[in-house]
Amino acid sequence: MSARPTVSREEFDALFEAVRTWGRWDRADRGAWNRVTGDHVRRAVGVVRSGVVVPMALPWNTRSGPDNRKPALHHMTDLGDVEGPEPTTHKDFIAADYHGKGVTHLDALSHIAYAGLLYDGRPARENVDAAGARFGAVAALGPLVTRGVLLDLPAVLGVPWLEPGHPVRAGDVRAAEEALGVTIGEGDAVLLRSGHVRRRAELGAWDPATASAGFHVDAVPLLAERGVALLGGDGDSDVRPSPVEGVHSPVHALAVAAMGVPLLDNLDLEALAGATAEAGRYEFLLVVAPLNVPGGTGSPVNPVAVL
């Protein structure tokens, strides 16, 4: 299904204004995460039944490919041959330019600006420089614990995966809620499974920057109305090619810059899809612990679902 541009820039700007939440919270650097209170966390813990724990991070990928233009780094720095008393040690080094397609990561509010403005109308040039972000940094979010909801669109449609370029629209979200017996609520984390990881495993890698399944912008008002606090998927939430002329990542702009909703990119949702199908329920406790990087625009993460 094509996702060729169908939304004008003027229509997109009007949508941006309609969903933005600037000025709503005193802790603006936390954005929509302000919705998640202690009571919400306790309710999220209450959905745990079996105790099955499902990690959702991709393997640390050090191999170059069409979907990994900047491979992560991993090398050993100590192989037990350093002189000294027992015991000997083995140490390694890791690094990643993680805002891409190859690393599972969290986008903080400082990651995206639209028309030169970060979330809450903060000028990007005044708040992000070579030293990092002074507003909307990942450290302001801290650990994220809430109820997660999986929208498994291939399961709903009876297909192994959505083809790259397939847009998930508002009607698809409602149909998935009905079919899966789950309703998105305030403070929830919504995870979209397109089957990206399964398609890559069976057919090989492609460049998801040019073609990937994801949310169409017309799904965003529904997510805004429900009051979501976190959005993620096995792609980067945006359908590509973009349906908005001149805006390459419109869902990023709407979620992060307008609504203050952090994003989880490049999840592996295959094990979670199997676990939720077996359990017959598509809600779970979600735990995301980003690295405490002062000024960071995000962080590599290994999100965990607990059923």
Side-chain angles (χ1 to χ4, degrees), residues 96-143:
D97 188 352
Y98 58 87
H99 283 301
K101 309 300 181 184
V103 177
T104 302
H105 66 270
L106 176 73
D107 290 343
L109 302 191
S110 54
H111 175 53
I112 297 293
Y114 183 67
L117 299 177
L118 301 172
Y119 178 69
D120 209 46
R122 310 297 178 100
R125 290 186 179 276
E126 297 176 11
N127 288 280
V128 185
D129 57 23
R134 289 183 292 277
F135 172 82
V138 71
L141 295 174

Side-chain angles (χ1 to χ4, degrees), residues 206-297:
W206 72 96
D207 182 4
T210 60
S212 61
F215 286 112
H216 188 280
V217 294
D218 73 6
V220 175
L222 174 60
L223 299 172
E225 177 186 321
R226 299 294 181 83
V228 300
L230 184 63
L231 193 62
D234 50 11
D236 66 0
S237 294
D238 267 287
V239 65
R240 302 185 191 279
S242 169
V244 181
E245 197 71 62
V247 182
H248 67 82
S249 300
V251 172
H252 274 64
L254 294 173
V256 180
M259 298 162 54
V261 173
L263 297 179
L264 286 171
D265 292 349
N266 311 322
L267 300 172
D268 182 348
L269 297 176
E270 296 307 296
L272 181 59
T276 51
E278 182 177 355
R281 56 192 182 92
Y282 288 80
E283 64 172 358
F284 44 87
L285 174 68
L286 178 70
V287 180
V288 185
L291 299 175
N292 187 4
V293 181
T297 63

Side-chain angles (χ1 to χ4, degrees), residues 41-137:
V41 173
R42 284 191 290 272
R43 289 194 297 271
V45 171
V47 308
V48 175
R49 298 179 189 173
S50 67
V52 170
V53 177
V54 184
M56 290 177 276
L58 294 172
W60 197 251
N61 192 347
T62 60
R63 299 183 62 180
S64 180
D67 55 354
N68 195 24
R69 303 293 186 185
K70 298 179 180 179
L73 303 178
H74 178 215
H75 63 258
M76 300 302 295
T77 59
D78 186 346
L79 292 174
D81 53 3
V82 177
E83 293 184 6
E86 295 286 358
T88 55
T89 61
H90 306 90
K91 303 175 184 176
D92 51 357
F93 166 90
I94 61 172
D97 188 352
Y98 58 87
H99 283 301
K101 309 300 181 184
V103 177
T104 302
H105 66 270
L106 176 73
D107 290 343
L109 302 191
S110 54
H111 175 53
I112 297 293
Y114 183 67
L117 299 177
L118 301 172
Y119 178 69
D120 209 46
R122 310 297 178 100
R125 290 186 179 276
E126 297 176 11
N127 288 280
V128 185
D129 57 23
R134 289 183 292 277
F135 172 82

